[in-house]
């Protein structure tokens, strides 16, 4: 593992830039982990956004799926404990525009939206800027089987009142596209 991989995950932007060469933006490490995915896992929010944005500027590929579990850049970003949805929304847009699969199903996490909704630290209104980026996609599939074989919609329903706004948005998204909204599972 190179110093850039270490600093992408744990360092500040300046520390990262001290060991990084733009020619390494698409570098892949052990197990298929990309430098971009490492940066998206940085616990320091400012560094996470800044390093990931720099890597995207330099041509990093956000469409990579990490084997064998099938997670992608969105799963890693949404799986972090700390978020600033306003600051991260432009990054999410760039990841999606660059090819990150909004419907990718990771074995443990389900879809990216399931991963985000599972973060009970934040209310729906706080996560709204991130939801906005996902719901802006015409290819968002809320019925694809994800975590535990449940659709993203059904997973959100099971989270109860904590995700009532999200469930309303999901149902409206389906309705707006002429897709029948399934009844709640029992």
């Amino acid at each position: 593992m190179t110093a850039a991989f270490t600093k992408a995950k744990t360092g500040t932007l300046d520390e990262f830039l001290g060991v990084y060469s733009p020619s390494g933006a698409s570098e892949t490490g052990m197990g298929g982990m990309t430098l971009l995915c490492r940066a998206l896992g940085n616990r320091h929010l400012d560094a996470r956004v800044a390093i990931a944005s720099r890597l995207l500027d330099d041509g990093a590929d956000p469409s990579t799926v990490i084997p064998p579990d099938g997670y992608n850049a969105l799963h890693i970003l949404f799986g972090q404990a700390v978020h600033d949805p306003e600051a991260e929304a432009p990054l999410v847009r760039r990841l999606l525009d660059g090819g990150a699969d909004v419907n990718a199903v990771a074995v443990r996490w389900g879809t990216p939206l399931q991963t985000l909704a599972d973060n009970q630290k934040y209310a729906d209104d706080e996560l709204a800027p991130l939801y906005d980026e996902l719901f802006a996609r015409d290819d968002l599939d809320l019925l694809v089987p994800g975590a535990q074989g449940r659709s993203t919609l059904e997973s959100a329903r099971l989270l109860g009142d904590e995700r009532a706004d999200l469930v309303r948005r999901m149902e409206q998204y389906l309705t707006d596209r002429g897709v029948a909204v399934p009844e709640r599972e029992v």
Side-chain angles (χ1 to χ4, degrees), residues 43 45 48 78-85 115-127 131 159 162-163:
R43 285 187 223 143
L45 178 65
R48 177 189 320 151
F78 294 158
Q80 300 309 302
V82 176
H83 290 283
D84 178 344
T115 305
L116 184 60
D118 280 342
N119 188 333
Q120 297 294 305
K121 182 177 177 181
Y122 297 94
D124 280 340
D125 63 328
E126 294 172 296
L127 294 174
Y131 293 162
L159 293 171
E162 300 273 330
R163 292 292 176 244

Side-chain angles (χ1 to χ4, degrees), residues 1-25 27 35 51 54-55:
M1 183 175 306
T2 67
F5 265 77
T6 301
K7 293 300 179 186
K9 175 83 172 170
T10 62
T12 65
L13 176 62
D14 288 339
E15 291 170 338
F16 173 73
L17 293 176
V19 296
Y20 166 72
S21 168
S23 64
E27 188 175 344
L35 195 54
I51 295 169
R54 173 61 189 264
L55 289 166

Side-chain angles (χ1 to χ4, degrees), residues 23-105:
S23 64
S26 295
E27 188 175 344
T28 302
M30 295 184 328
M33 180 64 69
T34 66
L35 195 54
L36 176 61
C37 286
R38 290 282 293 182
L40 293 169
N42 192 315
R43 285 187 223 143
H44 305 285
L45 178 65
D46 292 342
R48 177 189 320 151
V49 172
I51 295 169
S53 295
R54 173 61 189 264
L55 289 166
L56 290 169
D57 290 344
D58 291 341
D61 181 6
S63 69
T64 302
V65 175
I66 310 299
D69 295 329
Y71 58 91
N72 69 13
L74 295 169
H75 291 105
I76 294 170
L77 178 62
F78 294 158
Q80 300 309 302
V82 176
H83 290 283
D84 178 344
E86 291 288 339
E88 292 173 302
L91 178 59
V92 169
R93 184 177 321 115
R94 289 188 72 189
L95 294 172
L96 290 165
D97 289 347
D101 185 353
V102 70
N103 300 309
V105 177

